[in-house]
Amino acid sequence: MSALQRVAVVGSGPSGVYTVQALLDQDPTSTLAVDVLDRLPCPYGLVRYGVAPDHEKIKSLQTNLRRVLEDPRVRFIGNVPVGEGGVAPEELRQLYHAVVYCVGAATDRRLGIPGEDLDGSCSATDFVSWYSGHPDARDGFPLTARSVVVIGVGNVAVDVARMLVRGAAELHTTDMPQTPLDALATGPVRTVHVVGRRGPSQAKFTTKELRELGTLPGVRTTAHASELARDPALGDPGELPAAARRNLAVLEGWSRPDDPAALPSGSRIDLRFFLRPVEILGTEGGAVRAVRFERTAPDGHGGVTGTGEFEDVEAQWVLRSVGYRGVPLTGLPFDAASGTVPNESGRVLRDGAPSPGEYVAGWIKRGPTGVIGTNRPCAKETVTALMADAEALAARPVAGQDPLVRLSAGGRHPVPWSGWLGIEAAEARLGSTLARTTVKIPDWDGLLRAARQSA
Ligand code: NAP
């Protein structure tokens, strides 16, 4: 039996690294060589650029991911884009016996309502990228806003709401770049309205993340008693999944009557429900001034219907936090409706049939749901399929030379693991010059310079 020798994993976020881990665990021969390709010179994907900077415990997962990437059978190759303008999937098929795409869901979903492109209407994923120091992040956020509307009630909405009201002392200990830290620490945000179109029992956030909103220094968190009461599950939560039951209990603890006089002073996170965004309203100058919502009511089937009643919530900044969306990777099939690559247990399907040597794992396989740990069984399923195909894959001829030679062609300058270690060292030095712990380098030039200096 010939052994599987070369596998590429595209993407070094949690799904990519859990895939590598599963490959190492399931490889019976120990002859496997795994190349982990990433378009960035840094590994860890959303753990580095998506997990909120103040969630240091989740961030410390990097230590586990690092252990996998430092296995002698694994080689990190950063700064190599795959797809449009980069290495084509067909080329990877010629270099590796198998390729597993773990490229995540790189963009945000849109609302499709008037006013979505006004100044001050932004996607939460762009905001997250900016405060996380992603080198492709856009800037230009309306940081003078006093009132912010966050649309959506998932964990990203909770993250951005929390980051908007965090104070200097709490941000200082994170690895955020200095510019967003200064802007957020001194920003005048007073109220963050986090708004769900359905009821509190249908919110997507997890209880741990929700509860944290009630522990922020100097911040009051409120929910509206009248809106909680609209949820049929409130009176009879027994049928709800445990997580939804816990969420309801937390929200009830923050409930207050709809009386403006009862509003707490100081910064506030206000959780709203049964309000569907219908329009973002602008000033004459084209900046956001409010969001118009239609009051909704439960339809008895888990959805909601409009009631024809409207409410405008004043805000100078809108963050659309309605989920991520996968983007097509040139050369791979794509299902636009689900934003995923068609697959069967991780085997990529081309015209309905498994494409030999091509696999997917993570959000590009199953859609942008679940917490980081969800990627572990997902990766395991894909690798089990791959290993079941191993004999046929190993028999497929691949190019004789080291794939790195081809990956370096055409003016590409791959960043090896030693280059990443150089970035880490430079970020630690930057931190010490700012009297902080490590501080992220937020631009391509800075990252590549640091990588070059040590590679
Ligand atoms: P999400 O969990 O899918 O939540 C999206 C929210 O947007 C839902 O409340 C959804 O409401 C709402 N929504 C969707 N379309 C809408 C529309 N047209 N108008 C109004 N509201 C709309 O997405 P996410 O918050 O981006 O999170 C993505 C994944 O990352 C999740 O699995 C999440 O748990 C994970 N994550 C985890 C953490 C953590 O563990 N700390 C942190 C960040 C992200 P409906 O339910 O009504 O559709």
Side-chain angles (χ1 to χ4, degrees):
M1 174 176 129
S2 49
L4 196 59
Q5 277 163 7
R6 274 196 210 156
V7 176
V9 172
V10 181
S12 64
S15 62
V17 180
Y18 288 143
T19 296
V20 178
Q21 174 79 69
L23 282 164
L24 300 180
D25 289 349
Q26 293 190 35
D27 168 36
T29 61
S30 300
T31 56
L32 193 64
V34 185
D35 282 351
V36 183
L37 276 48
D38 203 296
R39 77 180 191 86
L40 294 176
C42 316
Y44 310 136
L46 277 186
V47 175
R48 180 170 160 92
Y49 290 119
V51 171
D54 62 338
H55 274 175
E56 275 139 28
K57 193 155 168 235
I58 308 181
K59 285 225 170 269
S60 69
L61 247 179
Q62 289 187 10
T63 313
N64 301 351
L65 304 184
R66 173 189 205 106
R67 218 170 286 134
V68 179
L69 293 178
E70 289 191 329
D71 187 287
R73 291 169 282 173
V74 179
R75 183 166 63 167
F76 173 77
I77 307 175
N79 198 28
V80 174
V82 174
E84 185 80 49
V87 187
E90 186 45 40
E91 205 174 343
L92 289 181
R93 265 168 50 81
Q94 293 162 16
L95 296 174
Y96 295 95
H97 288 122
V99 185
V100 189
Y101 292 89
C102 307
V103 293
T107 191
D108 61 295
R109 291 174 56 201
R110 306 249 326 155
L111 288 168
I113 60 172
E116 198 164 0
D117 294 314
L118 284 169
D119 271 358
S121 163
C122 317
S123 88
T125 54
D126 281 345
F127 180 51
V128 170
S129 293
W130 175 70
Y131 66 58
S132 301
H134 194 294
D136 290 337
R138 49 152 290 196
D139 56 10
F141 299 101
L143 296 160
T144 54
R146 290 178 63 80
S147 175
V148 185
V149 163
V150 179
I151 298 175
V153 283
N155 278 333
V156 171
V158 170
D159 277 349
V160 297
R162 197 180 66 250
M163 291 300 292
L164 283 166
V165 295
R166 280 274 192 217
E170 302 152 83
L171 297 176
H172 191 75
T173 53
T174 71
D175 64 2
M176 282 174 78
Q178 197 64 33
T179 304
L181 187 155
D182 290 339
L184 292 178
T186 57
V189 171
R190 299 291 283 177
T191 314
V192 184
H193 310 267
V194 182
V195 189
R197 61 182 172 179
R198 296 190 292 155
S201 67
Q202 293 150 326
K204 297 271 180 66
F205 39 61
T206 41
T207 313
K208 186 163 171 277
E209 277 61 31
L210 177 65
R211 257 193 207 120
E212 193 183 0
L213 294 184
T215 65
L216 307 177
V219 179
R220 287 288 305 275
T221 303
T222 50
H224 295 224
S226 63
E227 291 179 348
L228 301 187
R230 284 170 190 264
D231 196 318
L234 190 77
D236 182 18
E239 297 290 301
L240 287 178
R245 237 179 7 241
R246 284 194 300 265
N247 285 350
L248 265 188
V250 173
L251 289 163
E252 275 190 279
W254 295 335
S255 122
R256 62 164 185 82
D258 291 333
D259 173 8
L263 281 179
S265 58
S267 297
R268 185 162 64 95
I269 295 177
D270 197 21
L271 290 146
R272 305 291 312 269
F273 295 97
F274 292 115
L275 290 172
R276 171 162 69 198
V278 291
E279 183 173 359
I280 301 178
L281 306 172
T283 61
E284 279 184 8
V288 168
R289 69 175 171 82
V291 184
R292 177 157 298 164
F293 291 96
E294 182 179 14
R295 168 69 61 205
T296 60
D299 66 2
H301 307 286
V304 285
T305 51
T307 63
E309 204 186 300
F310 295 88
E311 176 177 336
D312 293 352
V313 178
E314 177 244 319
Q316 300 80 45
W317 188 356
V318 176
L319 283 164
R320 308 178 308 261
S321 182
V322 295
Y324 288 85
R325 187 163 51 89
V327 291
L329 191 144
T330 307
L332 270 193
F334 188 70
D335 174 25
S338 61
T340 59
V341 170
N343 72 91
E344 206 171 68
S345 308
R347 292 182 179 97
V348 171
L349 301 176
R350 288 186 185 268
D351 301 322
S355 167
E358 291 186 309
Y359 301 84
V360 279
W363 279 1
I364 199 63
K365 169 186 172 187
R366 61 173 206 277
T369 58
V371 292
I372 291 172
T374 317
N375 289 301
R376 204 187 269 279
C378 175
K380 210 168 160 190
E381 180 194 57
T382 295
V383 171
T384 302
L386 189 157
M387 286 299 173
D389 303 340
E391 201 169 339
L393 296 175
R396 203 170 59 79
V398 292
Q401 69 185 157
D402 182 344
L404 192 54
V405 176
R406 287 269 288 276
L407 296 175
S408 309
R412 281 190 291 263
H413 299 285
V415 168
W417 187 251
S418 58
W420 157 244
L421 296 180
I423 293 172
E424 268 192 330
E427 293 187 335
R429 282 195 302 275
L430 176 60
S432 68
T433 62
L434 294 164
R436 295 174 54 196
T437 54
T438 196
V439 170
K440 278 184 188 160
I441 298 171
D443 61 285
W444 276 100
D445 280 355
L447 290 170
L448 293 178
R449 204 176 322 116
R452 259 196 313 273
Q453 276 164 7
S454 73

